[in-house]
Amino acid sequence: MNSTGVRWLILFKGNGRKLTSAVALLALLLTLFPALPAVAGEDDSQGSLSIPAPDSVVGEVSSVVGRAYDPDGVSSVRVAIQNSQGEYLQDPFGGGWSNAWKSIEATITGWNFDSSVGGDVYEWSLGVAKAAFPEDTYKVYLYVLDQSGNFDDTVAGSPFTFQVDATGPVLSDPVPADGAVIAGSGAERFAVTATDVPAGVEAVQLVYKIGDEETKLQQGLTQEGDGVYAATVDLSGTTVGDVVYYYFTAEDNAGNSSRLPADGWYAAAVDKVPPGEVTGLTVEAPAEGGQLVLSWTDPDDGDYAGARVYYKTIEEENWTPAAEVEAGVQTYTITDLDSSGEIKYAVKVTTRDGFGNESEGTIDDNNGQGYAARDIQPPAEVSDLTVSIVPAGGSLELQWTDPDDGDYAGAKVYYRKLNETDWTYFGTVFDTVTGAVYVTDLANGTPYAVKVTTVDVYDNESDGVVADNNGQGYIPTDTQAPGEVTVVDVWAEPSGGTIELIWDDPKDLDLNHVNVYIREKGSDTWNTPAAVAKNVGWYEFTGLDRTGQTAYEFKITTVDAVYNESPGFELNNGGQGYTAKDETPPGEVTNVEVTIPAEGNSLEVSWDDPFDEDLDHINVYYRPIGTPGDAWLGPLPVDRGVERYLITGLANGHAYEVKLTAVDDVGNESSGVEENYFGHGYLPKQTAVDTTAPGEVTDLTVKPAPGAGRFILTLTTPEDEDLAGVAVYTALSGSDEWVLSEWLSSDMSETSEIAVQIPGSFVLGSDKVQFKVTTLDVHGNESEGVVADNGGQGYPVLGYWELTPGPEGWATFSVPVQLAGNQALLGDVINPEDVEIAYKFDAANQQWVQVTTDNNTLEPLEAVYIKLKKGTLAGIKPTTAPTNPPVKDLAAGWNLIGFTDNRPLSQALSSVDRLWSVAVSPAVNPDSWATTWNGYADYLVDTHYGYWVYMDEEGKLAGLSTTPVTVGRYPYPAVK
């Protein structure tokens, strides 16, 4: 708002009268202009006035409220106004002033006692209004006159100043400039530079319209810095040929406004037409591959700003931007493309102007075939190629420096005889190989040339670098014997007469064979060597002295194809030599029988000799039963092949035992076979022979025992005085082919329990067994026996596992084989009445799951925790169907598992070897170990228990068991 002048009005309160102005008051806030203390008049110190002293007054209306104070009362207040040129304004109030001073009579309207000043107080106000005065700075002078005629023209704060501001902000630098061309986009920028604008408000405004529309749109601008105010306007609705009209406005703190332009509108034309397309687009594929080079001619459009380059594979739908180039740049190389030639590309070049308009583009796809950026350029050649003759012969050593090409993959090595023209390929040396390269299997004495070519990852091969020793060729010559053998071991067979040498061949490529020498210790002459082909690594000397009286020394040399022989590796056992002494006795005699001749005073012994070739004779020993220690009578030697001996001179009625040992031709004697008729011995006598068997056992019962095919038989023995013991036989249910499985001597109690392990050939889960118990006396008489066959049904052959409560009653349990179908864990395998609760562990979610009817099964490699009320016997019935070894998925984290075989932990977890980190045997297990880590102590794990395994990542655990399974193959652990 513009002002043309200033008006003043002095208001005074007194006797209920209020003087007001006809114009609006320009508020001079009391908080901005605080009151100052009054100053006494010249003649009467009682006259005084308190007024504020503002720095300036800006705006249409302002007022000041002060307090006058005088104990005698104020008669009048006078005012004078002066401009910046020192001129006093004449009668600014229009009251016909005769001079610059204006006197205002005052009537005191009321006295208010103020103890802080000790006098009477009345209020007054001075109002200022913009009138016809120009923009300037003015001074206001005040003084007071009391009733006694005393006055004071140096009133505190007088004169004070105020300023009249009638000029709006300065606007400049409009964006866009008048007559500009714009894109008409959804984010068109408008900006202007403005000064004298209040901060923090949208004091700068944009007013615009589209074409001849009457609707004016207005948007506030935001300061960006350095006096620039801007806003983004959505002009996306404009079309080609539209004109946007606009101007800017601003307002200052005094209410003065400005406009840019001062009159009318700026105008900006909208351009949405892209330039014309490029012409003459060509595409070339450089030999080095991975690139396509594009060239074109720019269009002639005046607003053409540049081109954009795109590419894609023939199969793709969407284009990939490659670059944006300026006008005048008419070529671009697309890089980082596939160099194999298997991928084909299309290219596109569009044009653009400065207003964001882009053309559809010119496409080149090679008539639908696409362009291949195949690398057809081989790498640079190798450098610094050197060729050396290897002393071992038959070889040439090559060294070179690889080229620096980024796609270099390796070098190919060729050779040819100097008098030939065709090259023979030897091999490829990849870029990861360092050190020398050896061309082998060459003919010694023949000159050769070599060639090294380079190849890249796309099989481009260079012409190669040839080395032929200036036309003389390189001639391989073998003058070097192979290296010596290593890791030599000398082993004398315990049976004697043979010493075996074991070694590792050297790595020499021309090794032909190894010579092995022998000589007696003390001799200077080696015998004729035995030639051993390469890669055999052992040789044995036979027919050596078996008595150990002769010591031997050995030497092993290596020989190449041209008979270069190494000095050799000698072995003499620290100067002692090696002996081939026989330290192994023959095997034991078999089928020993002792009979009592009727004539008495003798025992006849028969046997079968062992089959040892060095058996010399059999020693027969005998002694009375009860002889302490190892004291025997004898030996009585019996030549090999006799196999019978009559011991005479014995005392009738006394019990004897016998022992037979085997002796070889160098005196090695076996431990011997003892016969004592179950500890009772044999009694020579002349009386009639007892042929009556003892009575039968009674109270025979059978129950399963922990193990595979193990049972406990309980029985009562007869009271026969000559009872020697009982024998337990087993057979398949219904069969009469009995097999002796257990023997118990007569020192057993009258009522006894016998643990019986049935033969390993029984099949678990399908076979059934029956038992027969016979009695034997000291004369060898055996009873018919008592049969236990479970009422003709036989006893099922199963695996039984004893579950014993651990801490708080807990135990772990697993099965090592696949169970027969539809077996319930709690019910068929374990008596649920002996179980309080059971849990499985859900490894996928790392949480416990209670065993219920929904998951009451158990697979191999699974394990459960069971809280027992008491000890119980689990019955394990394997399936008789063929099954493959089980596999269990292990999740990352903790897994509760069982094992299918008794073996070291590393072997049991070999299928997840690199995936697990920690294994734990729970405290409820009887194992001696608790925790181990992968690669540390390799503890033994057993079947039927549960173990914790922590997997760093998921894997598959392989089991080792199959079905059907026999008693002998069932993986039952050792007793803890």
Side-chain angles (χ1 to χ4, degrees):
M1 179 177 290
N2 295 326
S3 298
T4 59
V6 176
R7 265 187 202 170
W8 282 87
L9 176 65
I10 292 187
L11 302 180
F12 198 88
K13 291 184 180 179
N15 288 334
R17 293 185 299 117
K18 178 183 296 184
L19 300 177
T20 61
S21 170
V23 296
L25 297 178
L26 178 60
L28 295 176
L29 298 178
L30 182 60
T31 56
L32 297 175
F33 312 125
L36 298 175
V39 179
E42 296 178 353
D43 299 325
D44 187 348
S45 61
Q46 301 302 313
S48 63
L49 181 64
S50 174
I51 66 172
D55 291 332
S56 64
V57 177
V58 180
E60 289 191 3
V61 179
S62 182
S63 65
V64 175
V65 178
R67 296 199 306 175
Y69 146 71
D70 187 80
D72 294 335
V74 177
S75 66
S76 64
V77 177
R78 295 187 179 185
V79 59
I81 302 175
Q82 186 183 51
N83 63 22
S84 60
Q85 286 76 37
E87 301 172 343
Y88 287 99
L89 304 185
Q90 298 297 316
D91 194 5
F93 296 98
W97 287 2
S98 59
N99 53 49
W101 296 99
K102 174 67 177 178
S103 176
I104 299 176
E105 296 296 330
T107 302
I108 298 175
T109 59
W111 296 97
N112 296 306
F113 182 75
D114 189 336
S115 61
S116 64
V117 298
D120 297 323
V121 177
Y122 64 92
E123 295 181 347
W124 61 271
S125 64
L126 174 63
V128 180
K130 289 184 181 180
F133 299 117
E135 185 172 274
D136 202 354
T137 300
Y138 298 90
K139 292 182 180 179
V140 179
Y141 294 88
L142 297 173
Y143 71 90
V144 295
L145 181 69
D146 64 17
Q147 294 175 351
S148 303
N150 301 313
F151 68 91
D152 186 355
D153 60 359
T154 60
V155 176
S158 177
F160 68 89
T161 63
F162 69 93
Q163 185 177 15
V164 176
D165 182 2
T167 302
V170 178
L171 301 177
S172 63
D173 303 324
V175 176
D178 188 24
V181 179
I182 62 176
S185 67
E188 200 70 50
R189 181 176 180 271
F190 286 80
V192 69
T193 300
T195 60
D196 195 20
V197 176
V201 297
E202 291 186 346
V204 182
Q205 297 283 323
L206 167 70
V207 179
Y208 66 97
K209 65 178 182 176
I210 310 300
D212 297 330
E213 295 180 2
E214 295 183 0
T215 302
K216 298 179 182 179
L217 303 176
Q218 187 165 334
Q219 183 165 338
L221 276 62
T222 303
Q223 185 173 5
E224 293 182 345
D226 297 330
V228 177
Y229 293 78
T232 299
V233 179
D234 185 358
L235 297 179
S236 58
T238 58
T239 61
V240 178
D242 281 345
V243 177
V244 179
Y245 296 96
Y246 57 97
Y247 63 84
F248 300 93
T249 66
E251 185 174 315
D252 63 14
N253 280 322
N256 303 303
S257 62
S258 301
R259 186 182 191 279
L260 185 70
D263 297 304
W265 301 75
Y266 288 136
V270 174
D271 181 359
K272 291 195 173 183
V273 177
E277 302 290 357
V278 301
T279 57
L281 177 61
T282 62
V283 182
E284 294 182 359
E288 57 267 29
Q291 305 176 21
L292 291 176
V293 179
L294 282 62
S295 299
W296 63 85
T297 301
D298 288 343
D300 296 331
D301 300 54
D303 62 351
Y304 173 67
R308 290 192 177 101
V309 179
Y310 301 84
Y311 71 96
K312 70 179 184 67
T313 66
I314 290 296
E315 294 79 11
E316 290 176 331
E317 294 292 334
N318 299 323
W319 292 93
T320 299
E324 185 174 287
V325 299
E326 300 301 320
V329 178
Q330 301 180 98
T331 183
Y332 183 76
T333 301
I334 304 174
T335 59
D336 298 326
L337 302 179
D338 172 66
S339 297
S340 69
E342 297 178 359
I343 299 177
K344 305 299 190 297
Y345 297 93
V347 298
K348 179 174 73 170
V349 179
T350 65
T351 60
R352 58 183 174 82
D353 58 20
F355 311 109
N357 300 306
E358 184 176 7
S359 69
E360 291 293 326
T362 301
I363 297 175
D364 188 349
D365 61 1
N366 195 20
N367 297 320
Q369 302 301 310
Y371 291 96
R374 184 177 182 275
D375 183 352
I376 59 174
Q377 177 175 302
E381 302 290 358
V382 301
S383 56
D384 305 323
L385 174 60
T386 61
V387 182
S388 303
I389 297 174
V390 179
S395 303
L396 295 176
E397 178 186 296
L398 278 62
Q399 296 194 47
W400 63 81
T401 300
D402 289 337
D404 295 329
D405 298 55
D407 61 353
Y408 173 67
K412 290 186 176 181
V413 178
Y414 300 84
Y415 68 92
R416 63 175 172 81
K417 293 180 180 179
L418 198 60
N419 60 354
E420 296 177 348
T421 57
D422 293 334
W423 293 97
T424 299
Y425 170 72
F426 177 75
T428 299
V429 182
F430 295 101
D431 64 333
T432 56
V433 176
T434 59
V437 175
Y438 295 91
V439 180
T440 59
D441 297 326
L442 302 178
N444 289 322
T446 300
Y448 287 90
V450 296
K451 179 174 71 170
V452 179
T453 65
T454 58
V455 292
D456 61 18
V457 294
Y458 307 107
D459 293 329
N460 296 307
E461 184 175 6
S462 70
D463 293 332
V465 176
V466 176
D468 62 1
N469 194 22
N470 296 319
Q472 302 301 309
Y474 299 95
I475 304 175
T477 304
D478 187 355
T479 60
Q480 178 178 308
E484 302 291 356
V485 299
T486 56
V487 194
V488 177
D489 188 21
V490 180
W491 182 69
E493 291 191 5
S495 59
T498 299
I499 294 179
E500 182 176 327
L501 306 181
I502 303 172
W503 65 85
D504 287 341
D505 286 344
K507 303 300 182 182
D508 299 71
L509 298 177
D510 63 345
L511 176 67
N512 181 268
H513 67 275
V514 173
N515 282 337
V516 184
Y517 297 83
I518 187 174
R519 68 183 179 189
E520 293 184 5
K521 180 179 174 295
S523 172
D524 295 330
T525 304
W526 295 99
N527 73 332
T528 301
V532 181
K534 64 180 180 180
N535 300 325
V536 174
W538 68 275
Y539 185 79
E540 65 178 17
F541 290 96
T542 60
L544 305 180
D545 177 24
R546 296 174 54 247
T547 66
Q549 300 299 314
T550 306
Y552 300 93
E553 298 175 336
F554 304 94
K555 181 174 71 170
I556 305 175
T557 65
T558 58
V559 184
D560 63 16
V562 294
Y563 301 103
N564 294 307
E565 185 173 13
S566 69
F569 190 99
E570 294 190 17
L571 303 106
N572 58 20
N573 194 23
Q576 301 300 312
Y578 298 90
T579 61
K581 182 180 180 181
D582 184 354
E583 297 179 346
T584 302
E588 302 292 356
V589 299
T590 55
N591 300 323
V592 178
E593 292 185 5
V594 180
T595 58
I596 303 173
E599 60 269 20
N601 300 113
S602 62
L603 293 174
E604 185 173 9
V605 186
S606 63
W607 64 87
D608 290 339
D609 285 343
F611 296 105
D612 301 71
E613 293 182 358
D614 61 348
L615 176 66
D616 184 74
H617 65 275
I618 303 298
N619 280 338
V620 178
Y621 298 85
Y622 67 97
R623 66 182 180 182
I625 288 290
T627 301
D630 197 32
W632 291 87
L633 299 174
L636 306 172
V638 179
D639 290 340
R640 123 180 233 167
V642 175
E643 298 183 335
R644 184 178 298 276
Y645 188 82
L646 179 65
I647 306 173
T648 59
L650 304 179
N652 290 329
H654 291 274
Y656 292 88
E657 59 183 336
V658 298
K659 180 175 74 170
L660 287 80
T661 65
V663 184
D664 64 16
D665 55 4
V666 295
N668 295 308
E669 185 174 12
S670 69
S671 299
V673 176
E674 297 182 18
E675 284 294 330
N676 56 22
Y677 195 59
F678 308 110
H680 296 280
Y682 298 93
L683 283 75
K685 58 183 179 180
Q686 293 177 301
T687 57
V689 178
D690 181 359
T691 59
T692 302
E696 303 289 359
V697 300
T698 56
D699 306 321
L700 177 61
T701 61
V702 179
K703 64 179 180 180
R710 289 181 62 84
F711 295 87
I712 298 294
L713 275 61
T714 304
L715 53 86
T716 302
T717 58
E719 298 180 355
D720 297 57
E721 292 183 356
D722 61 351
L723 179 68
V726 298
V728 180
Y729 297 87
T730 58
L732 281 170
S733 179
S735 170
D736 58 359
E737 297 181 1
W738 297 97
V739 177
L740 178 63
S741 297
E742 194 60 55
W743 159 261
L744 201 64
S745 64
S746 61
D747 57 0
M748 58 191 287
S749 60
E750 182 178 350
T751 301
S752 301
E753 287 189 348
I754 304 176
V756 179
Q757 175 65 62
I758 68 174
S761 58
F762 279 73
V763 178
L764 288 165
S766 62
D767 286 348
K768 296 182 179 180
V769 66
Q770 59 181 343
F771 300 90
K772 181 174 72 173
V773 181
T774 64
T775 58
L776 293 90
D777 63 17
V778 297
H779 307 291
N781 300 305
E782 184 174 10
S783 69
E784 291 293 328
V786 177
V787 174
D789 60 1
N790 194 24
Q793 301 300 312
Y795 297 94
V797 179
L798 304 176
Y800 288 96
W801 179 254
E802 187 172 18
L803 284 164
T804 304
E808 298 296 324
W810 289 102
T812 63
F813 179 64
S814 64
V815 294
V817 296
Q818 184 68 49
L819 300 179
N822 302 318
Q823 287 197 72
L825 170 62
L826 302 180
D828 296 321
V829 180
I830 300 174
N831 186 354
E833 295 182 358
D834 298 337
V835 177
E836 184 173 326
I837 197 168
Y839 288 101
K840 294 183 177 182
F841 186 73
D842 180 1
N845 298 302
Q846 295 289 290
Q847 63 183 15
W848 292 100
V849 177
Q850 183 178 346
V851 175
T852 64
T853 55
D854 295 331
N855 62 351
N856 192 19
T857 59
L858 193 61
E859 299 292 332
L861 301 176
E862 286 187 327
V864 294
Y865 267 71
I866 300 176
K867 190 171 187 179
L868 297 167
K869 299 177 182 178
K870 63 178 182 178
T872 188
L873 200 63
I876 301 166
K877 181 180 181 181
T879 180
T880 56
T883 59
N884 58 283
V887 176
K888 178 176 175 60
D889 291 327
L890 301 187
W894 287 109
N895 294 260
L896 180 61
I897 64 172
F899 292 106
T900 59
D901 201 5
N902 311 297
R903 59 184 56 247
L905 185 64
S906 63
Q907 298 180 22
L909 294 176
S910 60
S911 62
V912 291
D913 179 38
R914 298 182 182 276
L915 306 180
W916 71 278
S917 55
V918 183
V920 175
S921 176
V924 299
N925 287 358
D927 290 313
S928 60
W929 63 279
T931 305
T932 188
W933 289 262
N934 193 345
Y936 286 79
D938 199 9
Y939 295 109
L940 184 71
V941 293
D942 290 326
T943 59
H944 299 85
Y945 295 107
Y947 294 87
W948 291 102
V949 173
Y950 188 86
M951 299 290 291
D952 296 324
E953 55 184 277
E954 63 182 21
K956 292 183 179 295
L957 177 62
L960 303 174
S961 63
T962 61
T963 59
V965 60
T966 62
V967 167
R969 296 292 297 275
Y970 184 81
Y972 200 87
V975 178
K976 295 289 185 181

